[in-house]
Coordinates of all heavy atoms in Angstrom, one line a residue:
M1 N 101.3 73.1 6.2 CA 99.9 73.6 6.4 C 99.7 74.0 7.9 O 100.2 73.3 8.8 CB 98.9 72.5 6.1 CG 97.5 73.0 6.1 SD 96.2 71.7 5.8 CE 96.7 71.0 4.2
S2 N 99.2 75.1 8.2 CA 99.0 75.6 9.5 C 97.9 74.8 10.3 O 97.1 74.1 9.6 CB 98.6 77.1 9.5 OG 97.2 77.2 9.1
A3 N 98.0 74.8 11.6 CA 97.0 74.1 12.4 C 95.6 74.6 12.2 O 94.7 73.8 12.1 CB 97.4 74.3 13.9
N4 N 95.5 75.9 12.0 CA 94.1 76.5 11.7 C 93.6 76.0 10.4 O 92.4 75.6 10.3 CB 94.2 78.0 11.7 CG 94.2 78.6 13.0 OD1 93.9 77.9 14.0 ND2 94.5 79.9 13.1
R5 N 94.5 75.9 9.4 CA 94.0 75.4 8.1 C 93.6 73.9 8.1 O 92.7 73.5 7.6 CB 95.1 75.6 7.0 CG 94.7 75.3 5.6 CD 95.6 75.9 4.6 NE 95.4 75.3 3.3 CZ 94.4 75.7 2.5 NH1 93.5 76.6 2.9 NH2 94.2 75.2 1.3
R6 N 94.4 73.1 8.9 CA 94.1 71.7 9.0 C 92.8 71.5 9.7 O 91.9 70.7 9.3 CB 95.2 71.0 9.9 CG 96.4 70.5 9.0 CD 97.2 69.5 9.8 NE 97.7 70.0 11.0 CZ 98.9 70.7 11.2 NH1 99.6 70.9 10.1 NH2 99.3 71.1 12.3
F7 N 92.5 72.3 10.8 CA 91.2 72.2 11.5 C 90.1 72.6 10.6 O 89.1 71.9 10.5 CB 91.3 73.2 12.7 CG 89.9 73.3 13.4 CD1 89.5 72.2 14.3 CD2 89.1 74.3 13.2 CE1 88.3 72.3 14.9 CE2 87.9 74.4 13.9 CZ 87.5 73.4 14.7
F8 N 90.3 73.7 9.8 CA 89.3 74.1 8.8 C 89.0 73.0 7.8 O 87.8 72.7 7.6 CB 89.8 75.4 8.1 CG 88.8 75.9 7.1 CD1 87.6 76.5 7.4 CD2 89.1 75.6 5.7 CE1 86.8 76.9 6.4 CE2 88.2 76.1 4.7 CZ 87.1 76.7 5.1
M9 N 90.0 72.4 7.3 CA 89.8 71.3 6.3 C 89.1 70.1 6.9 O 88.2 69.6 6.2 CB 91.2 70.9 5.7 CG 91.9 72.0 5.0 SD 91.0 72.6 3.5 CE 91.5 71.4 2.3
K10 N 89.4 69.7 8.1 CA 88.8 68.6 8.8 C 87.3 68.9 9.0 O 86.4 68.1 8.8 CB 89.4 68.3 10.1 CG 90.7 67.5 9.9 CD 91.3 67.2 11.3 CE 92.6 66.5 11.2 NZ 93.3 66.3 12.5
T11 N 87.0 70.2 9.4 CA 85.7 70.6 9.7 C 84.8 70.6 8.5 O 83.7 70.1 8.4 CB 85.7 72.0 10.4 OG1 86.5 71.9 11.5 CG2 84.2 72.4 10.7
I12 N 85.4 71.1 7.4 CA 84.7 71.1 6.1 C 84.4 69.7 5.6 O 83.3 69.4 5.0 CB 85.5 71.9 5.0 CG1 85.6 73.4 5.4 CG2 85.0 71.7 3.6 CD1 84.2 74.1 5.4
A13 N 85.3 68.8 5.9 CA 85.1 67.4 5.4 C 84.0 66.7 6.2 O 83.3 65.9 5.7 CB 86.4 66.6 5.6
I14 N 83.9 67.0 7.5 CA 82.9 66.3 8.4 C 81.5 67.0 8.3 O 80.5 66.3 8.4 CB 83.4 66.4 9.9 CG1 84.7 65.5 10.0 CG2 82.4 65.9 10.8 CD1 85.4 65.7 11.3
L15 N 81.5 68.3 8.1 CA 80.2 69.0 8.2 C 79.1 68.4 7.3 O 78.0 68.3 7.8 CB 80.5 70.5 7.8 CG 79.5 71.5 8.3 CD1 79.2 71.4 9.8 CD2 79.9 72.9 8.0
P16 N 79.4 68.1 6.0 CA 78.3 67.6 5.2 C 77.6 66.4 5.7 O 76.4 66.2 5.7 CB 78.9 67.4 3.8 CG 80.1 68.3 3.8 CD 80.6 68.3 5.2
A17 N 78.4 65.4 6.2 CA 77.9 64.2 6.8 C 77.0 64.5 8.0 O 75.9 63.9 8.2 CB 79.0 63.2 7.2
A18 N 77.4 65.4 8.8 CA 76.7 65.8 10.0 C 75.3 66.4 9.6 O 74.3 66.1 10.2 CB 77.5 66.7 10.9
V19 N 75.4 67.3 8.6 CA 74.2 67.9 8.1 C 73.2 66.9 7.5 O 72.0 66.9 7.9 CB 74.5 69.1 7.1 CG1 73.3 69.6 6.4 CG2 75.3 70.2 7.8
V20 N 73.7 66.0 6.7 CA 72.9 65.0 6.1 C 72.3 64.1 7.2 O 71.1 63.8 7.1 CB 73.7 64.2 5.1 CG1 72.9 63.0 4.6 CG2 74.0 65.1 3.9
S21 N 73.1 63.7 8.2 CA 72.6 62.9 9.2 C 71.5 63.6 10.0 O 70.4 63.0 10.3 CB 73.7 62.5 10.2 OG 73.2 61.8 11.3
G22 N 71.7 64.8 10.3 CA 70.6 65.6 11.0 C 69.4 65.8 10.2 O 68.3 65.7 10.7
M23 N 69.5 66.0 8.9 CA 68.4 66.1 8.0 C 67.6 64.8 8.0 O 66.4 64.8 8.0 CB 68.8 66.5 6.6 CG 69.3 67.9 6.5 SD 70.1 68.3 5.0 CE 68.8 68.0 3.8
A24 N 68.3 63.6 8.0 CA 67.6 62.3 7.9 C 66.8 62.1 9.2 O 65.7 61.6 9.1 CB 68.7 61.2 7.7
V25 N 67.4 62.5 10.3 CA 66.6 62.3 11.6 C 65.4 63.2 11.6 O 64.3 62.7 11.9 CB 67.6 62.7 12.8 CG1 66.8 62.8 14.1 CG2 68.7 61.6 12.9
A26 N 65.5 64.4 11.1 CA 64.4 65.3 11.1 C 63.3 64.8 10.1 O 62.1 64.9 10.3 CB 64.8 66.7 10.7
Q27 N 63.8 64.3 8.9 CA 62.9 63.8 7.9 C 62.1 62.6 8.4 O 60.9 62.5 8.2 CB 63.7 63.4 6.7 CG 62.9 63.2 5.4 CD 63.8 62.9 4.2 OE1 65.0 62.5 4.4 NE2 63.3 63.1 3.1
N28 N 62.8 61.7 9.1 CA 62.1 60.5 9.7 C 61.1 60.9 10.7 O 60.0 60.3 10.8 CB 63.2 59.5 10.3 CG 63.9 58.8 9.3 OD1 63.5 58.7 8.1 ND2 65.0 58.2 9.7
A29 N 61.5 61.9 11.6 CA 60.5 62.3 12.6 C 59.3 62.9 11.9 O 58.1 62.6 12.4 CB 61.2 63.3 13.5
A30 N 59.5 63.7 10.9 CA 58.4 64.3 10.2 C 57.5 63.2 9.5 O 56.3 63.3 9.5 CB 58.9 65.3 9.1
M31 N 58.2 62.2 8.9 CA 57.5 61.2 8.2 C 56.6 60.4 9.2 O 55.5 60.1 8.9 CB 58.4 60.2 7.5 CG 57.8 59.2 6.6 SD 59.0 58.3 5.7 CE 59.4 59.5 4.4
K32 N 57.2 60.0 10.4 CA 56.4 59.3 11.4 C 55.2 60.1 11.8 O 54.2 59.6 12.0 CB 57.3 59.0 12.6 CG 58.2 57.8 12.4 CD 59.0 57.4 13.7 CE 59.6 56.0 13.6 NZ 60.4 55.7 14.8
K33 N 55.4 61.4 12.0 CA 54.3 62.3 12.4 C 53.2 62.3 11.3 O 52.0 62.2 11.6 CB 54.8 63.7 12.7 CG 53.8 64.6 13.3 CD 54.3 65.9 13.6 CE 53.2 66.8 14.2 NZ 53.7 68.2 14.5
N34 N 53.6 62.5 10.1 CA 52.6 62.5 9.0 C 51.9 61.2 8.9 O 50.7 61.2 8.5 CB 53.3 62.8 7.7 CG 53.8 64.3 7.6 OD1 53.3 65.1 8.3 ND2 54.7 64.5 6.7
L35 N 52.6 60.1 9.1 CA 51.9 58.8 9.0 C 51.2 58.4 10.3 O 50.7 57.3 10.4 CB 52.9 57.7 8.7 CG 53.6 57.8 7.3 CD1 54.7 56.8 7.1 CD2 52.5 57.7 6.2
Q36 N 51.2 59.3 11.3 CA 50.6 59.1 12.6 C 51.1 57.8 13.3 O 50.4 57.1 13.9 CB 49.1 59.1 12.4 CG 48.5 60.3 11.9 CD 47.0 60.2 11.5 OE1 46.3 59.5 12.2 NE2 46.6 61.0 10.6
Y37 N 52.4 57.6 13.1 CA 53.0 56.4 13.7 C 52.9 56.4 15.2 O 53.0 57.4 15.9 CB 54.5 56.3 13.4 CG 55.2 55.2 14.1 CD1 55.1 53.9 13.7 CD2 55.9 55.4 15.3 CE1 55.7 52.8 14.3 CE2 56.5 54.4 16.0 CZ 56.4 53.1 15.5 OH 56.9 52.0 16.2
Q38 N 52.6 55.2 15.8 CA 52.5 55.1 17.2 C 53.1 53.7 17.6 O 53.2 52.8 16.8 CB 51.0 55.1 17.7 CG 50.1 54.1 17.0 CD 48.6 54.3 17.3 OE1 48.1 55.4 17.2 NE2 48.0 53.2 17.7
D39 N 53.6 53.6 18.8 CA 54.3 52.4 19.3 C 53.3 51.3 19.7 O 53.8 50.3 20.2 CB 55.2 52.7 20.5 CG 56.5 53.5 20.0 OD1 56.8 53.4 18.8 OD2 57.1 54.1 20.9
T40 N 52.0 51.5 19.5 CA 51.0 50.5 20.0 C 50.1 50.2 18.8 O 50.0 51.0 17.8 CB 50.2 51.1 21.1 OG1 49.6 52.4 20.7 CG2 51.0 51.3 22.3
P41 N 49.5 49.0 18.8 CA 48.6 48.6 17.7 C 47.4 49.5 17.6 O 47.0 50.2 18.5 CB 48.2 47.2 18.1 CG 49.1 46.8 19.2 CD 49.6 48.0 19.9
K42 N 46.7 49.4 16.4 CA 45.5 50.1 16.3 C 44.5 49.2 15.6 O 44.8 48.6 14.5 CB 45.7 51.4 15.4 CG 44.4 52.2 15.3 CD 44.6 53.6 14.8 CE 43.4 54.4 14.8 NZ 43.6 55.8 14.4
N43 N 43.4 49.0 16.2 CA 42.3 48.2 15.7 C 42.8 46.8 15.3 O 42.5 46.2 14.3 CB 41.6 48.8 14.5 CG 41.0 50.1 14.8 OD1 40.5 50.3 15.9 ND2 41.0 51.0 13.9
G44 N 43.7 46.2 16.1 CA 44.3 44.9 15.9 C 45.4 44.9 14.8 O 45.9 43.8 14.6
Q45 N 45.7 46.0 14.2 CA 46.8 46.1 13.2 C 48.1 46.4 13.9 O 48.2 47.4 14.7 CB 46.4 47.1 12.2 CG 45.2 46.8 11.4 CD 44.7 47.9 10.5 OE1 45.2 49.1 10.6 NE2 43.8 47.6 9.6
R46 N 49.2 45.7 13.5 CA 50.5 45.9 14.1 C 51.5 45.9 13.0 O 51.3 45.3 11.9 CB 50.8 44.7 15.0 CG 49.9 44.4 16.2 CD 50.1 43.1 16.8 NE 51.5 42.7 17.0 CZ 52.1 42.8 18.2 NH1 51.4 43.1 19.3 NH2 53.4 42.5 18.3
C47 N 52.7 46.5 13.3 CA 53.8 46.6 12.3 C 54.2 45.2 11.9 O 54.5 44.9 10.7 CB 55.0 47.4 12.8 SG 54.7 49.2 12.9
D48 N 54.3 44.2 12.8 CA 54.8 42.9 12.5 C 53.8 42.1 11.6 O 54.1 41.0 11.2 CB 55.3 42.1 13.7 CG 54.2 41.9 14.7 OD1 53.0 42.3 14.5 OD2 54.5 41.3 15.8
Q49 N 52.6 42.7 11.4 CA 51.7 42.1 10.4 C 51.6 42.8 9.1 O 50.8 42.6 8.2 CB 50.3 42.0 11.0 CG 50.2 41.3 12.3 CD 48.9 41.6 13.0 OE1 48.2 42.6 12.8 NE2 48.5 40.7 13.9
C50 N 52.5 43.9 9.0 CA 52.5 44.8 7.9 C 53.4 44.4 6.8 O 54.5 43.9 7.1 CB 52.8 46.2 8.3 SG 52.9 47.4 7.0
L51 N 53.1 44.6 5.5 CA 53.9 44.2 4.4 C 55.2 45.0 4.4 O 56.2 44.4 3.9 CB 53.1 44.7 3.1 CG 53.8 44.5 1.8 CD1 53.9 43.0 1.5 CD2 53.0 45.2 0.7
H52 N 55.3 46.1 5.0 CA 56.5 47.0 5.0 C 57.5 46.7 6.1 O 58.5 47.3 6.2 CB 56.1 48.5 5.0 CG 55.2 48.9 3.9 ND1 55.5 48.8 2.6 CD2 53.9 49.3 4.0 CE1 54.5 49.2 1.9 NE2 53.5 49.5 2.7
Y53 N 57.1 45.8 7.0 CA 57.9 45.5 8.2 C 59.0 44.4 8.0 O 58.7 43.4 7.4 CB 57.0 45.1 9.4 CG 57.7 44.8 10.7 CD1 58.2 45.9 11.5 CD2 57.9 43.5 11.1 CE1 58.8 45.7 12.7 CE2 58.6 43.3 12.3 CZ 59.0 44.4 13.1 OH 59.6 44.1 14.3
V54 N 60.2 44.7 8.5 CA 61.3 43.7 8.4 C 61.8 43.5 9.9 O 62.3 44.5 10.4 CB 62.4 44.1 7.5 CG1 63.5 43.0 7.5 CG2 61.9 44.3 6.1
A55 N 61.6 42.4 10.5 CA 62.0 42.2 11.9 C 63.5 42.3 12.0 O 64.3 41.8 11.1 CB 61.5 40.8 12.4
D56 N 64.0 42.8 13.1 CA 65.4 42.9 13.4 C 65.8 41.6 14.2 O 65.3 41.5 15.4 CB 65.7 44.2 14.3 CG 67.2 44.3 14.6 OD1 68.0 43.3 14.5 OD2 67.6 45.4 14.9
P57 N 66.6 40.7 13.7 CA 66.9 39.5 14.4 C 67.7 39.7 15.7 O 67.7 38.9 16.6 CB 67.7 38.7 13.4 CG 68.2 39.7 12.4 CD 67.3 40.8 12.4
K58 N 68.3 40.9 15.9 CA 69.1 41.2 17.1 C 68.3 41.9 18.2 O 68.7 41.9 19.3 CB 70.3 42.1 16.7 CG 71.3 41.4 15.8 CD 72.4 42.3 15.4 CE 73.3 41.6 14.4 NZ 74.3 42.6 13.8
K59 N 67.1 42.5 17.8 CA 66.3 43.2 18.8 C 64.9 42.7 18.8 O 64.1 43.0 17.9 CB 66.3 44.7 18.6 CG 67.7 45.4 18.8 CD 67.5 46.9 18.6 CE 68.9 47.6 18.8 NZ 68.8 49.0 18.4
A60 N 64.6 41.9 19.8 CA 63.2 41.4 19.9 C 62.2 42.5 20.0 O 62.4 43.5 20.7 CB 63.1 40.5 21.1
G61 N 61.1 42.5 19.2 CA 60.1 43.5 19.3 C 60.4 44.7 18.5 O 59.6 45.7 18.6
E62 N 61.5 44.7 17.7 CA 61.8 45.9 16.9 C 62.1 45.5 15.5 O 62.5 44.3 15.2 CB 63.0 46.7 17.5 CG 62.6 47.5 18.7 CD 63.7 48.5 19.1 OE1 64.6 48.8 18.2 OE2 63.7 48.9 20.2
G63 N 62.0 46.4 14.6 CA 62.3 46.1 13.2 C 62.5 47.4 12.4 O 62.5 48.5 13.0
I64 N 62.7 47.2 11.1 CA 62.7 48.4 10.2 C 61.5 48.4 9.4 O 60.9 47.4 9.1 CB 64.0 48.5 9.4 CG1 64.1 47.2 8.5 CG2 65.2 48.6 10.2 CD1 65.1 47.4 7.4
C65 N 61.2 49.6 8.9 CA 60.0 49.8 8.0 C 60.5 50.3 6.7 O 61.3 51.2 6.6 CB 59.1 50.8 8.7 SG 57.8 51.4 7.6
K66 N 60.1 49.7 5.6 CA 60.5 50.1 4.3 C 60.0 51.5 3.9 O 60.5 52.1 3.0 CB 60.0 49.1 3.2 CG 60.7 47.7 3.4 CD 60.0 46.7 2.5 CE 60.4 45.3 2.9 NZ 59.6 44.3 2.2
V67 N 58.9 51.9 4.5 CA 58.3 53.2 4.2 C 59.1 54.4 5.0 O 59.2 55.5 4.5 CB 56.8 53.3 4.6 CG1 56.2 54.6 4.4 CG2 56.1 52.2 3.8
I68 N 59.6 54.0 6.2 CA 60.3 55.0 7.0 C 61.8 54.5 7.1 O 62.1 53.8 8.1 CB 59.7 55.1 8.4 CG1 58.2 55.4 8.3 CG2 60.4 56.2 9.2 CD1 57.5 55.3 9.6
P69 N 62.6 54.8 6.2 CA 64.0 54.3 6.2 C 64.9 54.9 7.3 O 64.6 56.0 7.7 CB 64.5 54.7 4.8 CG 63.7 55.9 4.4 CD 62.4 55.7 5.0
N70 N 65.9 54.2 7.6 CA 66.9 54.6 8.6 C 66.3 54.9 10.0 O 66.8 55.8 10.7 CB 67.6 55.9 8.1 CG 68.2 55.7 6.7 OD1 68.8 54.7 6.4 ND2 68.0 56.7 5.8
D71 N 65.3 54.2 10.3 CA 64.8 54.3 11.7 C 64.2 53.0 12.1 O 63.9 52.1 11.2 CB 63.7 55.4 11.7 CG 63.5 56.0 13.1 OD1 64.1 55.4 14.1 OD2 62.8 57.0 13.2
T72 N 64.0 52.8 13.3 CA 63.4 51.5 13.8 C 61.9 51.8 14.2 O 61.5 52.9 14.5 CB 64.1 51.0 15.0 OG1 64.1 51.9 16.1 CG2 65.5 50.6 14.7
V73 N 61.1 50.7 14.1 CA 59.7 50.8 14.5 C 59.5 49.6 15.5 O 60.2 48.6 15.5 CB 58.7 50.7 13.4 CG1 58.9 52.0 12.5 CG2 58.9 49.5 12.5
K74 N 58.5 49.7 16.3 CA 58.1 48.6 17.2 C 57.3 47.6 16.5 O 56.5 47.9 15.6 CB 57.3 49.1 18.4 CG 58.0 50.2 19.2 CD 59.1 49.6 20.0 CE 59.8 50.6 20.9 NZ 61.0 50.1 21.5
A75 N 57.5 46.3 16.8 CA 56.7 45.2 16.2 C 55.2 45.5 16.5 O 54.4 45.1 15.7 CB 57.2 43.9 16.8
A76 N 54.9 46.0 17.7 CA 53.6 46.3 18.1 C 53.1 47.7 17.6 O 52.0 48.1 18.0 CB 53.4 46.2 19.6
G77 N 53.9 48.4 16.8 CA 53.5 49.7 16.4 C 52.5 49.7 15.2 O 52.0 48.6 14.8
W78 N 52.2 50.9 14.8 CA 51.2 51.0 13.7 C 51.3 52.4 13.1 O 51.7 53.4 13.7 CB 49.8 50.9 14.3 CG 48.7 51.1 13.3 CD1 48.1 50.2 12.5 CD2 48.0 52.4 12.9 NE1 47.2 50.8 11.6 CE2 47.1 52.1 11.9 CE3 48.2 53.7 13.4 CZ2 46.3 53.1 11.4 CZ3 47.4 54.7 12.8 CH2 46.4 54.4 11.8
C79 N 51.0 52.5 11.8 CA 50.8 53.9 11.2 C 49.8 53.7 10.0 O 49.3 52.7 9.7 CB 52.2 54.4 10.6 SG 52.6 53.8 9.0
T80 N 49.5 54.9 9.4 CA 48.4 54.9 8.4 C 48.8 54.2 7.1 O 47.9 54.0 6.3 CB 48.0 56.4 8.1 OG1 49.1 57.1 7.7 CG2 47.4 57.1 9.3
A81 N 50.1 53.9 6.9 CA 50.5 53.2 5.7 C 50.5 51.7 5.9 O 50.9 51.0 5.0 CB 52.0 53.6 5.4
W82 N 49.8 51.2 6.9 CA 49.7 49.8 7.2 C 49.1 49.0 6.0 O 48.0 49.5 5.5 CB 48.9 49.5 8.5 CG 48.9 48.1 9.0 CD1 49.8 47.5 9.8 CD2 47.9 47.1 8.6 NE1 49.4 46.2 10.0 CE2 48.3 45.9 9.3 CE3 46.8 47.1 7.8 CZ2 47.6 44.7 9.2 CZ3 46.1 45.9 7.7 CH2 46.5 44.7 8.4
V83 N 49.7 48.0 5.6 CA 49.2 47.1 4.6 C 49.3 45.6 5.0 O 50.4 45.2 5.4 CB 49.9 47.3 3.2 CG1 49.4 46.3 2.2 CG2 49.8 48.7 2.7
K84 N 48.3 44.9 5.0 CA 48.3 43.5 5.6 C 49.3 42.7 4.8 O 49.3 42.7 3.5 CB 46.9 42.9 5.5 CG 46.9 41.5 6.1 CD 45.5 41.0 6.3 CE 45.4 39.6 6.8 NZ 46.1 39.3 8.0
K85 N 50.2 42.0 5.5 CA 51.2 41.1 4.9 C 50.4 39.9 4.3 O 49.5 39.4 5.0 CB 52.2 40.6 6.0 CG 53.4 40.0 5.5 CD 54.3 39.5 6.7 CE 54.9 40.7 7.4 NZ 55.9 40.3 8.5
A86 N 50.8 39.5 3.1 CA 50.2 38.3 2.5 C 50.5 37.0 3.2 O 51.5 36.9 3.8 CB 50.6 38.2 1.1
Ligands
SF4_1 S1 54.2 51.1 7.1 FE1 53.5 51.7 9.2 S2 52.5 49.9 10.0 FE2 53.8 49.2 8.3 S3 55.7 48.6 9.2 FE3 55.9 50.8 8.6 S4 55.4 51.9 10.4 FE4 54.6 49.9 10.7

C-alpha cells in the first residue's frame, strides 16, 4: 500500500470522530444558549440544588448536567431547565 493511500485511509478513519466531536461541542453550546445557562445563580436557584445536577467528586464547584450532556456546569450556575432537587 502506498504512503498516500495509508494517509488517506487513516484520515478517513479519524474524520468521522472529529466531526462528531465538533458537532457535540456546537450542540452543547447551542443548548446552553437556548437554556440561557449562566455560571451564576438566579433568584437563589443554583445547579447544585437542581434535580439534573451531578457533582464531580474530582472538581470542587463543578458537575455534569443530565440535560446538557458531555459538558460541565458550575455548581453555582443556573438555567431555565432548573428543577428543585427533592
Ligand atoms: S438543568 Fe440547568 S440548572 Fe439544572 S443542573 Fe442543568 S444547567 Fe444547572
Side-chain angles (χ1 to χ4, degrees):
M1 187 184 304
S2 74
N4 282 346
R5 184 163 170 78
R6 274 196 302 273
F7 175 76
F8 176 76
M9 296 299 279
K10 284 181 184 174
T11 303
I12 290 297
I14 293 168
L15 202 55
V19 169
V20 169
S21 175
M23 288 170 59
V25 169
Q27 193 175 22
N28 285 344
M31 189 175 283
K32 278 184 166 178
K33 186 176 179 184
N34 287 342
L35 294 172
Q36 299 171 30
Y37 173 80
Q38 59 190 44
D39 284 341
T40 55
K42 184 166 186 178
N43 299 328
Q45 298 174 343
R46 303 165 44 103
C47 285
D48 59 3
Q49 302 167 339
C50 175
L51 179 69
H52 305 299
Y53 182 77
V54 179
D56 183 342
K58 294 178 184 169
K59 289 184 184 172
E62 284 190 20
I64 60 166
C65 170
K66 297 174 195 169
V67 176
I68 307 169
N70 306 316
D71 203 351
T72 58
V73 294
K74 300 288 184 192
W78 176 89
C79 85
T80 57
W82 187 89
V83 176
K84 185 170 177 53
K85 195 182 289 184

